[in-house]
Amino acid sequence: MSMNNSPNVFLDPNANRFQVNIINESHDNNGTSQEDVGSDPPHYEETSFTDEAHNRLRLSYRPGKRELYDNFLQNGEKTEASLHPYDTHTKMYYLQTFGHNTVDPVPKIDYYRNTGSVSGNKLNRPSLLDIHEQLAKNIAVSTGSVERLANGESTAGDETAVSKEEENKSGFVKFGWVKGVLVRCMLNIWGVMLFIRLSWIVGQAGIGLGIIVIGLSVVVTTLTGISMSAICTNGVVRGGGAYYLISRSLGPEFGGSIGLIFAFANAVAVAMYVVGFAETVVELLKESDTLMVDESNDIRIIGTITVVCLLGISVAGMEWEAKAQVILLIVLLIAIANFFIGTVIPTNNEKKARGFFNYQASIFAENFGPDFRSGEGFFSVFAIFFPAATGILAGANISGDLKDPQGAIPKGTMLAILITTIAYIGVAICAASCVVRDATGNINDTVVPGMSCNGSSACSLGYDFSRCASQPCDYGLMNNFQVMSMVSGFGPLITAGIFSATLSSALASLVSAPKVFQALCKDNVYKGLHFFAKGYGKNNEPIRGYVLTFVIAMAFILIAELNTIAPIISNFFLASYALINFSCFHASYAKSPGWRPAFRYYNMWVSLFGALLCCGVMFVINWWAALITYAIELFLYIYVTYKKPEVNWGSSTQALCYINALDSALALTTVEDHVKNFRPQCIALTGAPMVRPALLDITHAFTKNNGLCICCEVYMGPRKLCVKEMNSSMAKKQAWLTKNKRKAFYAAVAADSFRDGVKSLLQASGLGRMKPNTLVIGFKKDWRNATATQVENYVGVIHDAFDFELGMIIVRISQGFDISQVLQVQEELEKLEQERLALEATIKENDFEEGKSGICGFFRKANTLNISKHETKKESTINTMQSMHVGEFNQKLLEASTQFKKKQGKGTIDIWWLFDDGGLTILIPYILTIRKKWKNCKLRIFTGGKVNRIEEEKLVMASLLSKFRIKFADINIICDINIKPNKESWKFFEEMIEPYRLHESCKDITTAEKLKRETPWKITDTELEAFKEKSYRQVRLNELLQEHSRAANLIVLSLPVARKGVVSDYLYMAWLEILSKNLPPVLMVRGNHKNVLTFYS
């Protein structure tokens, strides 16, 4: 592929961007490329992709343009003043891709962006239909427009590029990995602990165990850093830090719970660090005797002033905050260097009396082992030190302000852990190698000649500190928290380091808390907190979050009970570390193809170990604080789970849910069906589930938490339109089921006829053992007005169900199931209501602006009056339409559609178990009675029998039901099923079937044969006579049902079966009509004649 039409191919308006040439693999810009310049006009050469390996399709570069191309290929960005060579994202234009005019685009990052992406505009690639279907005439573009595109003239793509360029010019302030992550993490990890507690820790634990304490803390943070690096490099990271990482990995339930307590912990940490700073300042004031009020109130005053100053820096913007952090880091580094320099400066007598002797092997040896005192032990010392190692999330917490979070967070965090660990270990070893554990501070406590030292290093160095064993001393590693100031070359620099450590940590927390909180609020996980999602300025600063953090920090500074809350805050941070580790483990364990972190140095089991280690450390630090943390997290988790926020982040929880479901489905295939485990698994032909809610409700009543329910719809008509409509509505209808808490699936097919569609569904629905075994269908109430084909399809579906050995349930209610007309009326009324509300809002706005006097106010008033008149007219129109729809709005139909949602009062479910179908006729009503809505209904059993054996038949049925453990209220033996129905009932049946009879016996043979050929669906006299007894039975059964079950809540009835090819469709429909006419809701049930009940254990 070559761009060879001018020395500056990108700027030449006549350049053809899609010229294909075969050139060498070499990148040299030699004579070959020179000869191309200015030679023959651009042309296409036939290219074979099966040539030898050296004849590859490659870009040939212009002299001096190699770097430009390299940059272009590496970054995938548009070069200066040029279009992308494969710019195919404009709307449905033919473009030349690989030398051919095609709508098919080449791979491009913009197709994969999320809607509303801040890093670039999302482009929509042509859909599969656009490429697969025949090209519409109005999409075709003239050659001229193609050439304009090829020449780089203005397109929609150009406008996108311009808008992106403008956004970059006025864009956000973004930080690199050094200033954004490394500096922040180092400042947060190097806390006040480094200067005033590390010497005490190494004095208690000794050098050996002290290094183990530091090492164990670092193991926790390093494992968390590794897990965080893996998560960060698995896709673009937005603002929100730990909350973003956890929520996108484990879902909103975990993310929402940890996000809130993590933001709160950072807000309280501001108070802790500021109080630490204020205490140091008050100590200095106390030494110079210049206290303002008293110690506690001075801490409050100084703390308040400090927080206000820090808030000002934060609100001023991230640039100022970053500059302040760099200054504080420089001060901190100078203070640490000052300590190391002080260890090699020769000591004096005053410092020797305080225990400082420069580097001495004897002191190193003496301090190497532990010397725990005052009830301290390894874990208590570890608990005191561990908070000093935290702070590794300082960079991740401002992930939204980083140029490249994926690269910056792993690199900056891991390097910060390494540098700070070296510093901690170095300070600990140096301090323990120079300073003894106990010293009196008295320069006169020297060794008396002839005195036995008993192995004391201080004694061997000429000082006697033996009285420290019997009485407390003020100096030495164990007693003096200001050891670093004493050892350092210039003491005030250590004080400056303490100031820097506390203020930098406070500033980092003051920035982190609002950023994390803003991300949490933007996701709307807690709807009441959405007020804090708003950002201001070019960096989208969370000003409201800053104010809230300030208020929380001020409250805790004024309360001044930080010693109690400090362990809880440490545990909050540890809980977030544990979940970050668990997120990495969970994502790996779920084996989702979307888990592809660029950071490879992680292991799922190491991450799990890190999570467990964090949980263990929580209990080591403070067991009651750990329990409080878990309790709060569990409460928030349950709350978010209950609220079910409408977000979908493709979490590993979803991936694992899929894996578990797949494994369970596969495991189920190895389990053979057993009658004890039978459960109705239903295909319900509801169409769109919202159109026939009653049919779905009754099906759902016996499948919820018990069996499979699939709501099915058949699209009929032109295939292209059907498929398009079906694809566009699938998600919407499944969402309706979820929203209405219906535990069912939605499935749809496009077919030439209703019967063909249902046949496909019956054969293909389900998965493994989770396959439908029962078809539920509504009774076709309009069968007498339907076409012969429609009736044939309906009855054919019943035959197909039996052919596939499925059970069959036909449901009939008096008002019918279809409420599509009601839904249309409701939709119209909702639109009118929206218009009315919009009109009211307009009037209110005009009324609000009508405050000015004079001629303008007069005209405004007149305008308002006109709008009011319009509103009155509009309202009258609405009222007219509402009254017009009163007749059409079938209230009874609406009530009937919700009858199975309501709790059924005391009553009966009458079961007419006339034929043994395997037990489905008795199982369905039993399942209903164990549901909350039907539990007040008793089962009454009706079955056929002989007049002279009524009591025996009752005992037999009672015995059978008791063996099946099915409770019943009554058993009725019906002895007169087979007698003829009364004349009125039979006359009604005959009148009903009259339009569908052939009456061939009244016609000559030729005419009769002709009619049979023309209308094969009609009921012949022969057929009617052959099935006269069966017809009598259906009519008689309706009379008995009217007599015994008219007041029942529900009737469950054995469904009559019509033999295929023998009983005509209209005769069968007449049987179903007369059998279930003028009755309460009826379920006509027929099992597949395989046992679904057993009396064996």
Side-chain angles (χ1 to χ4, degrees), residues 335-348 351-352 356-360 426-427 429-435 483-490:
I336 294 170
N338 176 47
F339 167 77
F340 286 115
I341 292 168
T343 59
V344 295
I345 294 174
T347 185
N348 54 41
K351 288 187 177 181
K352 283 181 180 179
F356 174 50
F357 296 94
N358 294 113
Y359 291 105
Q360 300 291 337
V427 169
I429 292 174
C430 290
S433 301
C434 299
V435 183
V483 166
M484 283 192 73
S485 295
M486 179 188 70
V487 172
S488 64
F490 183 60

Side-chain angles (χ1 to χ4, degrees), residues 1024-1039:
L1024 193 60
E1025 188 61 33
F1027 293 102
K1028 196 166 190 176
E1029 290 297 323
K1030 204 165 185 178
S1031 299
Y1032 280 157
R1033 188 190 304 147
Q1034 312 312 322
V1035 180
R1036 177 58 185 156
L1037 274 172
N1038 183 259
E1039 291 177 351

